[in-house]
Amino acid sequence: MGTSLQAMRSRLLAFGVLGVLALAAYGGPVRAQPGPAPYLDPHLSVQDRVADLLGRMSLADKLGQMTQPERRYITHDEVTRYRIGSVLSSGGSAPVPNTPENWADMYDGFQRAALAAPLRVPLMYGVDAVHGHNNMVGATIFPHNIGLGATRDPALVRRIGAATAAEMAGTGVDWNFAPCVCVARDDRWGRTYESFGEVPELPTMMTTVIDGLQGSTLSGPTSVLATAKHYVGDGGTVGGDDRGDVRLPEKELRALHLAPFQAAVKRGVGSVMVSYSSWNGLKMHQNKYLITDVLKGELGFGGFVVSDYNGIDEIDGKPGFTRDEVAAAVNAGIDMVMVPAEWRRFLEYLRDEVQKGDVPMARIDDANRRILTKKFEMGLFERPMADRSHLAAVGSAAHRELARQAVAESQVLLKNEDVLPLAGDDKVFVAGRSADDIGMQSGGWTITWQGEPGPITPGTTILDGIRKAADRGATITYSKDGGGIDPSYDAAIAVVGETPYAEYHGDRTDGLRLDEADLRTIDRLRASGVPVIVVLVSGRPLDVAAHLPKWDALVAAWLPGTEGQGVADVLYGDAEPRGKLPVTWMRSGDQEPINRGDGKKPLFPFGYGLTYG
């Protein structure tokens, strides 16, 4: 006891524990130790390090590791005092100004606070980087999953995962609440675009994104922890109701919704997030059979299970959470609980339930063992701070080129009456709300939770891409509402579709009709007598059957992200349309839900897609 800080530094250096030296550089109280603890020795096995650390932890230490507040509702001092194991940024929660450097500063501030606690356990920082590091201005925004499902290209998706991880790494953020491996069975669901497709084979195929995110080893310099979500069946709720009920026999639940999670587990996914939804009336957040028996037991998942945002609040269907809900969730097998604002109350309730014996200490130890194992595997004890050498990857030319390729591969040509591809010297009129709008073409989960129209982050709009793809000197005219067109143009392009939304805000039971303003824009173009190409920017199929005979071409562009030139590459024939529908396209809104093999006659079947050949 009474060992000097300098002596402690020397001992830690002898073990190569460079990350813990952040204590000296960044301040914070340090409890004197007679010598380096075995858990700080990187030469020991992860299993031995976890066992040693677990044996030193108090109940308060263990409960802190299981608690995940939102950054806006906790201070650095509270992270230290309550031994918090993880912090998150919810959609749109970002430092001001929203720059990569400020993200790194924010992360390091929280990490310094975690390292200042007596046991110096680093924290993990989680974000929904669901199509790139999408909360951060300047990041490369890739197509949403529905577009990637149209590519049928697992290798491309793996590269996108690696690029996303590299952009996250420079900011320090080390945990991604992605990928969503749900199977979207009803296009009215507001999260349809987060799904790779309507059949389990597609999300299963695209679990390669986990390999890209986590790398060959979790301790790699640009590796981040991946999360398979939302376990299980969230894409199969009745009526497409987000957070609704999946009413299926177990055999069908397994056949349709479990396979992608099984594939994710085989790829070593580090965490699994539980769905808000229910299965036959029982909330997933309390479903011990599916979480503990099936996921952890039968599938052999060795990582940790995290709740969704305030997910335990909804177990009893009433606002807020009770002691019973806390006990039910943890006993069901949830290891870390996302409690953004009420985390102090959660700690109080969980402590009480443990002390009463309603939550066994063995369950607490199991949760901590799973969480700590990932922290050791990630190398956080050795390298806890942001590695700013990777900041140059954010929005890099190489990543934007990769995104452009992904956009081009995701385009699905649904109709073409000999108007596409366009010639470079064609005189083209461009219209539509989504033609010159980064926010519209990126959709939800972009800078903010719901996304929003406008120049919200750097990128290339679809109109920008058209102007670049056309020959120098070619006439490209733009009018948002289509006003001013005349018969002198060779073609008109209407870029129309959905206004950004995320999860339950995007649930639609109105038949998925195209917006009236968009229809008026298309009608203005048609009235000129010029061939009309409709580019549909949307997170799902829309009800266009009644209008389609009047259009000369239709391209499903999905939600392409920041690199709109990939759309123009296909329109001008610089890239061949290769995309195939990842979902069945309805003939009318009242066909929903419609899926492959259900006997309903679609407008376009699953797997449909034309080429120029």
Side-chain angles (χ1 to χ4, degrees):
M1 302 299 289
T3 304
S4 69
L5 182 59
Q6 184 58 47
M8 181 175 287
R9 288 179 185 156
S10 300
R11 287 175 179 152
L12 291 175
L13 276 171
F15 281 101
V17 190
L18 301 179
V20 178
L21 291 180
L23 289 170
Y26 301 112
V30 180
R31 177 179 293 177
Q33 300 285 343
Y39 75 87
L40 295 175
D41 183 355
H43 299 101
L44 295 180
S45 70
V46 168
Q47 183 178 3
D48 288 344
R49 296 176 77 181
V50 170
D52 178 68
L53 176 54
L54 199 59
R56 298 169 184 268
M57 296 172 73
S58 67
L59 179 60
D61 291 318
K62 293 175 181 178
L63 300 188
Q65 288 299 304
M66 299 173 65
T67 307
Q68 187 181 56
E70 213 279 343
R71 58 172 285 274
R72 294 168 295 175
Y73 304 111
I74 190 166
T75 67
H76 292 167
D77 287 344
E78 288 170 332
V79 168
T80 305
R81 186 184 320 141
Y82 292 96
R83 322 292 202 260
I84 296 300
S86 178
V87 175
L88 82 144
S89 278
S90 57
S93 179
V96 179
N98 188 344
T99 65
E101 293 77 11
N102 274 0
W103 274 87
D105 290 344
M106 178 187 69
Y107 172 88
D108 283 351
F110 280 114
Q111 193 65 279
R112 286 194 295 268
L115 295 172
L119 291 175
R120 308 186 296 277
V121 180
L123 58 72
M124 293 182 291
Y125 198 101
V127 299
D128 289 276
V130 298
H131 62 145
H133 196 1
N134 46 255
N135 273 330
M136 185 175 64
V137 172
T140 308
I141 307 299
F142 294 92
H144 269 298
N145 286 351
I146 193 168
L148 298 181
T151 72
R152 306 296 203 274
D153 192 341
L156 174 69
V157 170
R158 181 188 294 111
R159 292 170 63 199
I160 288 171
T164 300
E167 297 204 13
M168 293 174 66
T171 66
V173 177
D174 44 38
W175 182 10
N176 189 359
F177 303 138
C180 184
V181 294
C182 60
V183 181
R185 302 291 290 177
D186 192 318
D187 300 320
R188 294 171 292 185
W189 184 40
R191 301 191 92 135
T192 297
Y193 65 75
E194 295 188 49
S195 172
F196 290 107
E198 70 178 31
V199 297
E201 295 87 343
L202 271 181
T204 297
M205 176 193 307
M206 297 305 185
T207 55
T208 51
V209 68
I210 295 168
D211 300 338
L213 289 167
Q214 297 192 162
S216 58
T217 173
L218 270 177
S219 61
T222 60
S223 296
V224 300
L225 196 76
T227 306
K229 66 181 188 184
H230 304 88
Y231 186 81
V232 58
D234 56 336
T237 57
V238 175
D241 177 20
D242 193 49
R243 310 188 181 195
D245 193 23
V246 181
R247 299 173 192 165
L248 290 175
E250 182 174 348
K251 182 178 180 180
E252 291 183 35
L253 180 78
R254 286 173 173 267
L256 281 173
H257 299 285
L258 191 63
F261 288 95
Q262 186 169 17
V265 170
K266 286 182 179 178
R267 291 189 184 276
V269 70
S271 66
V272 169
M273 183 182 291
V274 177
S275 174
Y276 286 119
S277 57
S278 304
W279 176 43
N280 293 329
L282 182 67
K283 282 290 183 182
M284 277 302 312
H285 276 75
Q286 66 176 129
N287 196 314
K288 184 175 182 180
Y289 170 68
L290 287 176
I291 297 173
T292 296
D293 297 350
V294 176
L295 177 63
K296 293 180 175 180
E298 180 183 327
L299 300 188
F301 174 58
F304 65 91
V305 175
V306 63
S307 80
D308 209 332
Y309 192 94
N310 281 332
I312 64 171
D313 294 23
E314 302 192 10
I315 289 176
D316 65 5
K318 300 175 183 177
F321 59 84
T322 64
R323 285 176 169 81
D324 287 344
E325 286 175 307
V326 169
V330 174
N331 285 334
I334 295 177
D335 303 304
M336 184 182 289
V337 181
M338 199 182 291
V339 273
E342 296 295 329
W343 56 270
R344 295 176 198 80
R345 186 156 60 90
F346 168 77
L347 282 169
E348 175 191 343
Y349 286 2
L350 183 54
R351 183 190 66 238
D352 291 349
E353 294 303 301
V354 172
Q355 291 175 343
K356 287 193 307 180
D358 289 342
V359 174
M361 199 63 212
R363 176 77 272 275
I364 301 299
D365 285 343
D366 175 61
N368 273 264
R369 189 175 293 108
R370 289 169 177 273
I371 294 165
L372 295 173
T373 294
K374 292 307 167 189
K375 290 188 176 184
F376 281 115
E377 289 177 353
M378 292 164 71
L380 284 174
F381 284 80
E382 288 71 57
R383 299 179 308 280
M385 313 308 287
D387 184 350
R388 297 170 193 243
S389 67
H390 300 293
L391 283 174
V394 175
S396 68
H399 289 174
R400 292 188 182 277
E401 186 59 32
L402 175 62
R404 176 181 173 181
Q405 176 190 345
V407 173
E409 287 194 30
S410 70
Q411 303 301 288
V412 180
L413 181 61
L414 296 171
K415 180 180 180 180
N416 186 21
E417 298 290 344
D418 297 322
V419 65
L420 290 174
L422 297 169
D425 60 356
D426 280 346
K427 183 179 180 182
V428 176
F429 195 97
V430 183
R433 296 181 300 151
S434 300
D436 194 29
D437 195 309
I438 287 288
M440 291 285 282
Q441 70 189 45
S442 297
W445 294 109
T446 308
I447 310 305
T448 60
W449 173 35
Q450 294 294 315
E452 59 184 359
I456 58 176
T457 193
T460 301
T461 69
I462 294 172
L463 175 63
D464 292 334
I466 290 169
R467 286 173 171 158
K468 292 178 181 179
D471 290 349
R472 182 175 297 181
T475 298
I476 305 294
T477 305
Y478 170 65
S479 169
K480 189 173 183 177
D481 66 359
I485 190 171
D486 62 53
S488 69
Y489 289 87
D490 296 303
I493 303 173
V495 189
V496 297
E498 294 187 294
T499 302
Y501 57 85
E503 45 190 306
Y504 59 91
H505 290 270
D507 287 356
R508 288 182 61 177
T509 57
D510 64 355
L512 297 171
R513 295 182 297 274
L514 200 59
D515 188 270
E516 289 297 326
D518 288 340
L519 290 173
R520 288 193 294 270
T521 297
I522 296 170
D523 285 344
R524 288 189 189 98
L525 301 182
R526 287 185 53 250
S528 70
V530 172
V532 175
I533 302 155
V534 175
V535 175
L536 198 58
V537 176
S538 66
R540 53 195 157 194
L542 298 182
D543 188 354
V544 299
H547 311 286
L548 186 60
K550 306 170 187 177
W551 303 343
D552 297 278
L554 174 61
V555 177
W558 311 112
L559 296 170
T562 54
E563 307 313 303
Q565 187 148 6
V567 178
D569 288 338
V570 171
L571 295 177
Y572 278 82
D574 296 322
E576 182 80 11
R578 296 174 51 185
K580 305 298 179 185
L581 284 181
V583 290
T584 303
W585 202 292
M586 78 205 88
R587 183 170 293 276
S588 65
D590 58 13
Q591 284 187 312
E592 290 292 344
I594 181 171
N595 293 286
R596 184 184 70 178
D598 62 7
K600 299 176 183 178
K601 184 179 180 180
L603 181 63
F604 301 110
F606 175 89
Y608 183 84
L610 303 173
T611 67
Y612 293 151

